Structures are given as structure tokens and as C-alpha cells.
Amino acid sequence: MKFITLSIFFISSFISFAQKPTSTGDASIFGKIIDETTNQPIEYVAVRLLNVKDSSVISGVFTDAEGKFNFENIAYKKYLLKISLTGYQSKFISNITVSGTSKIYNVGTIKLEADKALQLEEVKVIGQMDVLKSGIDKKVYNVAEDISVRGGTANDILNRLPSVEVDQDGRVMLRGEGTVTILIDGRPSSLSGGNGKTLLDALPAGSIERIEIVTNPSAKYDPDGTSGIINIVLKKNKLKGFNGAVSTNLGTGDLTGGNVAEANASLSYRNSWFNVYGTYNVRYLDGFRNNTSYIKQTFTNGSQNIVDQNRTGTDLNAGQTFRLGADFNLKARNTLGFSGTGNIGIRDRTGDLWNNIFDENLTQTQLWQRTSYDPSQQQNFDFNLNYKWDLKDDKGNLVFDANQSIGKEKIQGFYQNNFFNPADSSTGIQSFEKQQLFNVEKNNITTLQLDFTYLMPKINARIETGGKAILRNQMVNTYSETLDNATNTYYQDTLANFDYKYDEQIFGIYGIWGQQLGKFKYQAGLRAEQAYQIPNLLSDSIRIVNDYFKVFPSAHVRYAITPKSEISLSYSKRITRASSSDLNPFTSYSDPFNLRRGNPYLNPEFIDSYDLAYSFESKKINLSASSYFRRNTGVITRFKEYYDNNTSAVTFRNISETNSLGNEIVLVYKPNAAWRNTLSWNGNYIWYITNMADLPNRQGFNMNMKFNTSYEFWKKTATVQLSVTYNGPRVTVQGIAQRQGPVDIAFEKKFKEGKWSVGARVSDIFNKQGFYMEVDRENVYQTSEFKWLTRRVYISASYKFGKLEISNKSRTLGGDGGGDM
């Protein structure tokens, strides 16, 4: 009860900071801007709302990709519009009057004429975007503005995001728990782990434009994911003319290894009729990956066993990522786009694992060593077709999207167990075992989506509807064999070999109604889905069909306190479906002491998510704060079982429910034009209710904090940046887990008006980044620590060429100018 009271006080206290309105109302002005010659919409046009008396700026926006702009919650009076963009003649629109009888003013379609007097070889529009843009319903992380992730991967970026954690297995959590739905360009993809495990370590940071976080999506979006959606948007040309960039990153961990080498190249051409673009990245990274484990188990007869494990190993990750695409502006209001993205990579790991077993008297009873070599090869390809038709008079649009994602991974394992005399290991190897494992996984994801939006300006409302189909198919074939020392030949391990097939089909339709009534906005939506999940155990001739029809409502309401501050309340019903690997019942024996198996009888988990949020924006401060509550039923949870033969297995269960109550703050503070600070904090209290005799209820508090500060100097051609991450211990259903966060520092210097840049950074300065977990159950206590190479020194260089650079499209305007900012 105290925590609930504190949460209500927390959100209300921030609302009290809202400034008193100076010129507010419930009127709106909107319109569209197109090129006079081609009749195509123009993006990034600066539109300013001016005071008629003295031409002072009241507000300003940029046009979106459809050339549209909109001013909301403005006072009843006369206004003047100034429209400007470099390369076009500025235009003024006068005699704009809004009143109580005419609250909505449609400026219509405005045509801009090219400025023929402006003949420049190169024009630079230099502005700086915030690393993090936090709104009331979405957070956008602009990767290009964070110099501390140069040479990193998608997982490195995710660890920068507010309230996001990535564990040692690459599992992504948002707001202290989760599953989270990871999308690539808004679609499911093999690149984001379509086979039930993350592949984001193979996706370089240099190929990513931005990452979007939506914690309570509307009915338009897939309802999957406990905590919401993380959408990774890959780079795509948005600049006119011929443009390109090349960059490189080199790094090292120490004098003996840990090397990093990366190169990026992009090339594009865009005019009024088409846009062609391509990117290429090649990356090599090697390092180490070590872990320790301590397990103390008490048996029913009172005896005890202790298993002490220590593993050291190497880790090599190398690959190529490439993308090619084209967009075509067909006849009026029709656009057709194609794109293909691919990733080809390898990951090779070696390990040297020592196993020590002791009895209750701490007498060593067993000693053996397990050496391993695990090479793997990955191939992932995404192909996309997109068509868009804009209705007349900007009344809406129809969008069709088709995506095909194909993935294949080959994993080999070569293992040797060397057994020693525990009383005297100096006598050497007493006996040995050799094992070989060959695993092939194939993934196929087809996504078809149709969305229709219709606008009704007279009543300031809109209707959205559409449908989506997702078809997933996975095949897993595992073959294992063990050496017969007597004959020196390998024989098949029948218990470890299996063929597994997984099919998933999801068909959904949705409808949304939204409207603005003065300062008040509301939106209600409903999504209906029919789903089929079919794990097929080909080796055992068992096929399990789990089909269900569910309805997912959502609702969002907002109230504009002032033009720069809003409060909102939202609700969505969501679902977490077991992944294909979670449903795979066959046991993985890659580590005989730590087995893994899925559960084909898992049911979906359902979530009711509530969010109360407040946002405030001023020249120096951008603040968003929220209090949230989630109730999950039939929770899919990772569960570790322990056996009398000193082995354990990770599997999955549905427990009764969890309840989570939390607060989140994101604060961006810019005391001056050169200094930017971003602070995010998330804390939530969680209750696990299991209703299981062997798994008692648990509860506890989770917290994480991230801070980023950057300062520009040297006439704004140089930047230094410091990033700090702290993740507190996270309560789990069986114990606690904690990923220790890093402290990073980076520097960048630009030359020749930003064409050239050089930089340096040090990741994890204090070498603290790692992962710790503890299991504390009746008769079992376990601790594990994981450490990999995280402290590295990088140097980078880049060169850009082209006719236009725009890097400030998402910020609200203020002050004078247009294209000449």
C-alpha cells in the first residue's frame, strides 16, 4: 500500500511542475506541402506559426514523410505561417483565423517552388539531434548521436536504452521483466531472433539508424511481449541527390587479443521520382568468455553435494551485413518500395571447464575437465515489398507490406571429457570421453499486412483498420555421437538426437477510432487474433496443436495541460507466446551438468498493462515520467530443476501470476547549446505468485539507472561523452540476477564542415561489466558469475560526401530561419 501511495505521489508531483498556459486553446491548423514541379510531398520543411502583430515565433514543426504538418491546442486569434526549406523559395500564408466557431483551419496543399537563384555545389543543414527523444507514448534513441557505441552491436545499443537490460544469453528485458517483442523495421525477422534466441550480437551498430520503444502499443500493433515493443530501424537514405559515407573502427582489449575491426560503407541516390540506397558492413571481434558456478544441494537423507565449476574460453564473432533497396514514386499518390537485408556470420567459441565435486565433509570425490570447441555459421536474409496509396485531399492512406525472412544456422560441437584421480591429479588423465554434435536450424517467417487510415478533419477524428498474417516455420535437426575407445569409432547417441519442427500461424484484424476534442484526445481499439502453435516432435511422432482465439482491447486518453505538457492514461491487453525453443522438449547435453529442455505443453501468458504518464518540454528540459502496473496470468517462467546425480536442467513452466508496480523517469537537460545530459531511472516492485509447493511465492524491488552526458567544444567541432549504467539486483522467481553495467567515455572531432571525423572511446573503463545470478531454494543454493571481454580501446574515422545533410528533423522548431538554421 505504501508503494502504491508513493507511485501516485510520484506522478502527481511532476505534473505540478507544468507551467501555466500563456496562449492555449483547443484550435488546430494543419496542411500539406508538395513540390510544385513533381507534386510529391516534401519532408523536413520548416513550418512556423507567427504572431501577426510582431512576427514573433509562437511555435514550429517539421513536415513528416507525407509532407504534412499540424499545430494543435492553439489560442483563438489570427496567425501568419512561414514555410521555408533550403533549395526552395520561402512562402508566407496570411489571414489565418481560428475562433470558437471555426476551431479547425485547413491550410490545404501548398506548393513550394525551387529557388533557381540558389546554385550551390553543397548545402549543409547542420543541427544536432538529442541522443534520446522521450515522449509520452514512445522513446526514440538516435544511434548516430551516441559516439560511445561506435564499433558495437545491437545488443550494446539496447543496453543504452532506458529501462532495458540484456542478460548473458542475449535475453532482452524492459522495465525489470519481460519478454519484449523485437522487430526489425517494424517486422518480425530472423535477424531479431526468429528462432527463439537472439542474433542481435551479429547486427552492427553502424547499420542502425534509431531504436524505438513503445511500452503500451495500440491495437494496430502485435500484442506480443509483456513489456511492449522495441523496433530497430535500419539505415535508409532520406537525402536528395547523391550521398555516401565510409567509416572504420579499430579496437583492442589487451596486448594478447581482444581485437576489433569494422568497416562501413553506404551509397545512395534520390530525386523526385525514385530513391536507391545500399549499405555494407564487415566486422571482426574476438575476446574471452568465462564463468564460474557453485551449487550446494542437500538430499532427503541429509547428505550434501557441492559442485564447483570454473570455465575459461575464447569467443570470436565475425560477419557481414548488407542492405539494398529502392523506392519509386509512381503516378500521383502511389509509392512502391523494395528492400533486401542480409547477414552472414560465424561465431567460434572454445572452452576449458573444470568440474570439482565434494561431499558434505568437503572431501573431493570427482575431478574432471571438459574441453570444447563450438563453431557456428549463420545466414539470415529479409526481403520486403511495400506499397502505399494516399487518398485525395489528405484524407488518409492504404498501405500494404509483405516481408519474407529466411534464416539458417549450423552449430558444431567437439567435446572431450578428461577424468582425473581426485586424490592426486598429478597422476594425469585416468580416462577420457569424446563427443561430437552437429545441429542445423532453419527458420522461415512470412509477414503480410494491410493497413487503412481514414481522416475526418471536420470532426478531427480518424479511423484505422487492417489485418496481418504471420507464418513461422522452424526445423531443428540435432545429431550427436560418442567415441568408442575400444574400437576408436563413433556411435550414435540416441538420447541426444532428435528432429523437431515448429509451426506458428497468427491471423489478426484490428480497428481503431480516435478523436481530438480541444485539449482532450482519446483513442480506443480492438484487435482479434486466431493463433496456432504446433510443436512437432518428429523423432517421437508427437504433434501438439495449441490453437486459441483471443481479443486484445486497448485505450489511450490524453489531456494537453499546456502546449508543451501532456498527461495520459493508457491500457492494453497483451500476450506472451512460448517461443519455438521454449516448446522444444528435447534435452541439450552440451554441458552435462547444466542441461536444457523446453516444455511443449506451455500455455500463452496474458498481460493487463496500465500506464499513467506525464511529459513536459521546454527549451532546456524534456521530462517524461510514468507510473505503471502490470498483471500477468499464466506466466511463462524459466525454472531450474536439480537432480540427485549432481546435474540440473533449465526448463519452463506456467506459474499462476505476477504483479508489477513501477515508476519510470526520463530527463533530458540542456543547460546550454553545448551541453546535453540524459538521465533515466526505472524502479518496480514485483510479486511472483506460483501456487506450487516446490516453488514458493517471492517478491522484491528492481531498479536500474542510466546517465549520458556530452559536451561540444572547439567551435562545436568536437564532442566528449560519458555514459554510466547501473543495474541493481533483479528479483527472479527462484532468486536474484544482476547485470553489472559499464562506464564508457568517448571523443570525436569533426573536420571540413563535418565531412571528416576521427574519434576514440574506451568501453567499460573499470572492467566491471558482467552477469551474476543466485538461486536460493529449499535444499538448493547456487551462484554463477559470467565475465566476458568488455574493456576495449577503440579508434574510429569516417568520411561523408553528398549534397545535403539533415540531422534535426525530429525536433520541434523555435527561433528564426528555416533551411538556414
Side-chain angles (χ1 to χ4, degrees):
M1 187 65 190
K2 289 181 180 179
F3 194 81
I4 297 174
T5 305
L6 180 62
S7 298
I8 296 172
F9 173 78
F10 168 86
I11 191 71
S12 62
S13 64
F14 280 103
I15 296 174
S16 66
F17 285 119
Q19 295 180 348
K20 294 182 179 180
T22 54
S23 58
T24 61
D26 58 358
S28 62
I29 299 173
F30 65 94
K32 181 177 181 178
I33 299 173
I34 64 174
D35 185 288
E36 183 182 56
T37 304
T38 66
N39 289 324
Q40 294 298 318
I42 310 175
E43 195 175 5
Y44 314 140
V45 179
V47 185
R48 287 182 168 80
L49 190 65
L50 309 179
N51 192 320
V52 173
K53 293 182 179 180
D54 56 7
S55 296
S56 61
V57 178
I58 297 173
S59 184
V61 295
F62 285 104
T63 56
D64 60 19
E66 299 175 353
K68 297 178 182 178
F69 65 89
N70 187 22
F71 295 97
E72 299 177 344
N73 304 320
I74 59 176
Y76 303 148
K77 59 189 295 186
K78 291 184 177 181
Y79 294 99
L80 177 69
L81 278 185
K82 180 183 178 181
I83 302 168
S84 56
L85 178 66
T86 299
Y88 290 89
Q89 296 181 14
S90 296
K91 182 170 285 191
F92 289 87
I93 309 294
S94 57
N95 299 321
I96 297 176
T97 303
V98 290
S99 63
T101 57
S102 181
K103 298 180 180 180
I104 302 173
Y105 192 100
N106 185 356
V107 182
T109 300
I110 303 165
K111 295 184 177 182
L112 286 189
E113 182 182 355
D115 190 348
K116 297 180 177 60
L118 188 62
Q119 300 293 336
L120 299 177
E121 283 297 316
E122 287 198 8
V123 179
K124 286 284 179 182
V125 180
I126 300 174
Q128 190 172 31
M129 215 185 296
D130 290 329
V131 173
L132 179 68
K133 186 72 173 178
S134 181
I136 203 162
D137 59 350
K138 182 168 69 173
K139 301 175 184 66
V140 179
Y141 184 89
N142 298 295
V143 177
E145 300 300 322
D146 190 348
I147 61 177
S148 68
V149 295
R150 304 280 167 85
T153 68
N155 276 345
D156 296 319
I157 300 173
L158 291 177
N159 276 311
R160 288 276 189 271
L161 302 181
S163 308
V164 175
E165 292 181 54
V166 183
D167 69 13
Q168 84 283 1
D169 296 322
R171 192 167 65 104
V172 181
M173 288 160 284
L174 177 61
R175 286 182 168 180
E177 62 171 309
T179 53
V180 182
T181 298
I182 306 290
L183 303 177
I184 304 291
D185 287 330
R187 310 171 192 94
S189 168
S190 293
L191 294 170
S192 60
N195 58 351
K197 60 183 178 182
T198 179
L199 299 177
L200 296 179
D201 255 342
L203 188 63
S207 66
I208 300 172
E209 177 182 317
R210 68 182 185 274
I211 296 183
E212 303 168 340
I213 307 174
V214 185
T215 51
N216 231 11
S218 70
K220 180 178 181 178
Y221 300 97
D222 299 338
D224 298 75
T226 300
S227 307
I229 294 172
I230 295 178
N231 183 32
I232 299 175
V233 181
L234 302 180
K235 287 181 177 178
K236 176 181 176 181
N237 174 52
K238 296 181 179 179
L239 310 179
K240 285 189 176 181
F242 185 70
N243 299 272
V246 292
S247 65
T248 184
N249 295 278
L250 301 174
T252 184
D254 53 45
L255 297 177
T256 60
N259 298 315
V260 179
E262 180 187 48
N264 300 276
S266 64
L267 201 62
S268 63
Y269 179 79
R270 178 176 181 173
N271 60 24
S272 300
W273 308 106
F274 65 88
N275 173 32
V276 180
Y277 56 92
T279 62
Y280 177 76
N281 171 280
V282 60
R283 185 169 184 269
Y284 174 93
L285 181 150
D286 66 46
F288 64 79
R289 192 174 184 88
N290 304 333
N291 70 274
T292 61
S293 175
Y294 173 89
I295 304 174
K296 184 177 182 179
Q297 189 172 3
T298 303
F299 302 103
T300 54
N301 61 3
S303 63
Q304 290 183 334
N305 258 11
I306 295 174
V307 179
D308 189 8
Q309 296 180 292
N310 190 309
R311 179 189 183 277
T312 59
T314 63
D315 190 359
L316 184 148
N317 192 339
Q320 306 170 71
T321 301
F322 43 89
R323 193 179 198 210
L324 184 66
D327 299 317
F328 300 93
N329 296 318
L330 308 177
K331 59 183 181 179
R333 306 189 312 278
N334 287 265
T335 305
L336 184 65
F338 305 89
S339 69
T341 303
N343 176 270
I344 300 174
I346 62 170
R347 187 160 195 176
D348 292 351
R349 295 181 176 182
T350 65
D352 186 4
L353 174 65
W354 286 90
N355 304 272
N356 299 272
I357 299 180
F358 302 87
D359 62 18
E360 63 270 18
N361 300 315
L362 299 182
T363 300
Q364 189 168 7
T365 58
Q366 294 184 47
L367 172 63
W368 59 293
Q369 175 196 28
R370 182 177 177 84
T371 61
S372 61
Y373 172 52
D374 298 278
S376 63
Q377 306 83 39
Q378 305 88 31
Q379 295 180 351
N380 298 281
F381 302 96
D382 285 1
F383 304 97
N384 176 255
L385 167 68
N386 180 273
Y387 171 74
K388 182 180 179 183
W389 173 50
D390 290 315
L391 303 181
K392 291 183 178 180
D393 302 321
D394 301 323
K395 290 294 183 66
N397 55 56
L398 179 73
V399 179
F400 172 74
D401 194 88
N403 192 75
Q404 184 68 46
S405 183
I406 302 170
K408 182 177 181 180
E409 182 175 22
K410 295 181 179 180
I411 304 173
Q412 302 88 46
F414 303 94
Y415 311 104
Q416 179 167 327
N417 300 326
N418 300 317
F419 298 93
F420 295 84
N421 180 355
D424 185 8
S425 60
S426 64
T427 57
I429 299 174
Q430 305 296 303
S431 61
F432 69 91
E433 293 177 350
K434 283 188 175 182
Q435 179 189 9
Q436 296 181 164
L437 181 144
F438 304 92
N439 184 84
V440 178
E441 298 183 10
K442 296 180 180 180
N443 301 279
N444 198 325
I445 307 173
T446 303
T447 306
L448 302 173
Q449 184 167 349
L450 184 68
D451 299 297
F452 177 72
T453 302
Y454 185 73
L455 306 179
M456 293 168 280
K458 290 185 178 180
I459 59 173
N460 212 12
R462 79 180 190 284
I463 295 175
E464 295 182 64
T465 187
K468 186 174 186 179
I470 302 176
L471 309 176
R472 285 187 174 93
N473 173 268
Q474 181 186 5
M475 289 289 296
V476 181
N477 175 267
T478 296
Y479 178 80
S480 176
E481 57 186 15
T482 299
L483 179 69
D484 185 335
N485 294 331
T487 62
N488 200 31
T489 58
Y490 284 91
Y491 63 91
Q492 181 178 348
D493 297 325
T494 54
L495 291 178
N497 296 343
F498 64 85
D499 287 317
Y500 172 67
K501 181 181 179 182
Y502 174 76
D503 292 298
E504 180 178 282
Q505 303 166 14
I506 302 172
F507 305 97
I509 57 173
Y510 72 91
I512 297 173
W513 169 268
Q515 188 176 24
Q516 179 175 348
L517 302 172
K519 299 181 180 181
F520 179 75
K521 300 178 186 177
Y522 71 91
Q523 173 182 289
L526 195 66
R527 186 180 188 94
E529 286 191 349
Q530 174 65 51
Y532 303 89
Q533 290 185 279
I534 309 172
N536 193 346
L537 321 182
L538 300 177
S539 303
D540 294 344
S541 301
I542 299 175
R543 185 173 183 266
I544 302 169
V545 179
N546 186 6
D547 67 287
Y548 47 92
F549 175 82
K550 295 296 178 182
V551 175
F552 302 92
S554 68
H556 298 71
V557 294
R558 293 190 191 180
Y559 180 77
I561 304 170
T562 73
K564 296 292 186 179
S565 63
E566 280 189 330
I567 186 172
S568 74
L569 179 64
S570 62
Y571 165 79
S572 67
K573 190 171 188 66
R574 306 190 57 75
I575 186 173
T576 294
R577 309 177 216 269
S579 70
S580 60
S581 59
D582 295 346
L583 295 168
N584 184 353
F586 294 107
T587 301
S588 170
Y589 292 91
S590 59
D591 181 350
F593 271 133
N594 297 282
L595 311 177
R596 188 191 186 282
R597 71 171 65 93
N599 178 1
Y601 299 100
L602 285 174
N603 292 315
E605 171 184 346
F606 294 97
I607 305 101
D608 292 289
S609 176
Y610 304 84
D611 200 296
L612 175 65
Y614 169 74
S615 70
F616 170 74
E617 185 176 354
S618 68
K619 184 177 181 180
K620 294 185 176 182
I621 295 176
N622 185 324
L623 170 72
S624 67
S626 63
S627 289
Y628 57 89
F629 175 75
R630 289 192 300 262
R631 181 175 184 268
N632 303 23
T633 56
V635 179
I636 299 172
T637 185
R638 188 182 296 191
F639 179 79
K640 195 159 190 178
E641 298 175 337
Y642 295 86
Y643 310 115
D644 291 347
N645 62 353
N646 299 316
T647 65
S648 63
V650 173
T651 185
F652 298 87
R653 289 185 180 183
N654 288 107
I655 65 172
S656 180
E657 66 177 280
T658 63
N659 295 290
S660 179
L661 178 65
N663 296 313
E664 182 185 61
I665 306 172
V666 179
L667 174 66
V668 179
Y669 176 55
K670 295 171 283 188
N672 53 54
W675 190 14
R676 294 181 297 166
N677 302 274
T678 303
L679 174 68
S680 67
W681 180 89
N682 177 78
N684 69 298
Y685 199 89
I686 188 168
W687 294 264
Y688 291 95
I689 303 172
T690 66
N691 290 338
M692 294 181 178
D694 62 339
L695 193 61
N697 298 341
R698 292 179 64 89
Q699 63 185 51
F701 184 73
N702 306 323
M703 185 272 284
N704 66 33
M705 182 276 293
K706 299 179 182 182
F707 176 69
N708 182 292
T709 182
S710 64
Y711 187 78
E712 292 181 313
F713 57 100
W714 215 333
K715 296 182 179 180
K716 290 194 173 183
T717 64
T719 304
V720 62
Q721 178 178 313
L722 178 70
S723 302
V724 181
T725 299
Y726 173 75
N727 300 314
R730 176 171 48 84
V731 178
T732 69
V733 71
Q734 294 190 91
I736 62 170
Q738 182 178 18
R739 180 184 174 112
Q740 292 87 352
V743 176
D744 301 341
I745 191 168
F747 168 81
E748 183 180 62
K749 176 70 173 74
K750 296 181 179 180
F751 304 90
K752 299 291 184 179
E753 297 180 327
K755 290 182 183 178
W756 290 90
S757 70
V758 295
R761 74 179 180 100
V762 181
S763 64
D764 194 15
I765 298 172
F766 302 108
N767 200 28
K768 295 294 185 181
Q769 188 173 358
F771 184 82
Y772 170 82
M773 62 164 286
E774 178 182 304
V775 174
D776 190 4
R777 291 174 47 193
E778 185 178 4
N779 299 326
V780 175
Y781 177 77
Q782 177 181 1
T783 61
S784 297
E785 290 191 54
F786 298 82
K787 186 71 180 81
W788 53 96
L789 182 55
T790 55
R791 181 163 59 187
R792 301 178 189 265
V793 179
Y794 297 82
I795 57 172
S796 62
S798 67
Y799 172 69
K800 299 177 183 178
F801 57 91
K803 300 220 172 184
L804 184 66
E805 178 181 334
I806 296 178
S807 60
N808 207 14
K809 64 185 178 64
S810 68
R811 290 203 325 191
T812 302
L813 293 169
D816 296 331
D820 55 350
M821 288 184 296

